[in-house]
Amino acid sequence: MWNFPLFPDQASTIAKHVDALYFFALGIAGFFTAMICVLILAFAARYRRKSTADRLNPPTASRTLEIIWIGGPMLLMLTMFTWAAILFYKMYDPPVDALEVYVVGKQWMWHAQHSEGRAEINELHVPLGRPIRLTMTSQDVIHSFFIPAFRVKQDVLPGRYTTMWFEPAKIGRYHLFCAEYCGTNHSAMGGWVYVMEPVEFQQWLSQAGTGASMAEQGERLFVQYHCAGCHRGSQTVHAPRLEGVYGRPVPVQQGTEVRFTLADYRYIRDSILRPKSEVVAGYEPVMPSFEGQITEPDLLKIIAYIKSIGAKEATQ
Ligand code: CUA
């Protein structure tokens, strides 16, 4: 069977927009390349040494020509820039109702974790027609999460969370790659993304697995690592309570000044691993560091738990 696709599937809602811009840019590049080639040949033939073409009074200035060759390319470039900028903003602004999935890259595999609790390795199951937001980090070196059929690619960095979103638009199985050279088995670091009917996806989520949601697993870790000892109940003399902290500004002591920082994934992760770097105003820097003791997937679960107690508080 002759099967040599020149283009990956268009399996996300953004794919056709990315492709349209790609072909527009390719078309412009192609047009100018062809035009220049043709003109080189035409002028070479017309003004060759033996030709009798008129060489008298060559024009030395032409305002019309200058306006065309400055204005034309400028308009084309601005069109491309505006178009690309609009698309860029769209690609980096996930809808608020997006389904959250957490991804940890490590040499050499992808670990994906769904909020409901199910985790998978080198596979990612997602429902059709629902925006998916990935929060990603790496346990070792820089990786890059790449799904060609969705036209999305994002670097995955150690010590930092990066995000990316997409909306699957076609049922099927699509390649998943690591697109950043990360060591010996970089080329084997990949797998498959499965786009499923929403009903099937729900069944898949509830199958097997741990039964416990990410937040519930996080709560267990919260107790296991003795976070609860200081951050919960009546013990909160030396440590701030964490209910409702997620997504709110936190007053942080810096020298003699207090500044506010948002309690997001970044802040909570840093507070666990480097608790002395951003101490909440009014508290002593007594918390020990958990650097090197908690894996990235477990950190995400603990954050999910802290996030969930915020949500509970808010609805009370
Ligand atoms: Cu991970 Cu290349």
Side-chain angles (χ1 to χ4, degrees), residues 108 110 142-144 178-182 186 189:
W108 290 273
W110 293 109
I142 299 178
H143 303 277
S144 184
C178 174
E180 179 72 47
Y181 181 64
C182 57
H186 156 72
M189 184 173 168

Side-chain angles (χ1 to χ4, degrees), residues 17 121 136 139 205 226 255 269:
H17 301 287
I121 301 276
M136 309 188 289
Q139 194 137 304
L205 261 189
H226 307 295
R269 183 182 185 282

Side-chain angles (χ1 to χ4, degrees), residues 139 221 225 227 272-273 290-296 298-299 302:
Q139 194 137 304
L221 293 163
Y225 285 103
C227 318
I272 297 170
L273 301 183
F290 287 85
E291 187 115 56
Q293 299 180 45
I294 308 182
T295 62
E296 294 294 343
D298 281 355
L299 277 169
I302 294 172

Side-chain angles (χ1 to χ4, degrees), residues 8-13 15 128 149-151 167-171 174 195:
D9 268 310
Q10 291 181 328
S12 73
T13 50
L128 179 75
F150 292 173
R151 308 293 187 275
E167 184 177 326
K170 203 172 141 193
I171 299 283
Y174 307 100
V195 178

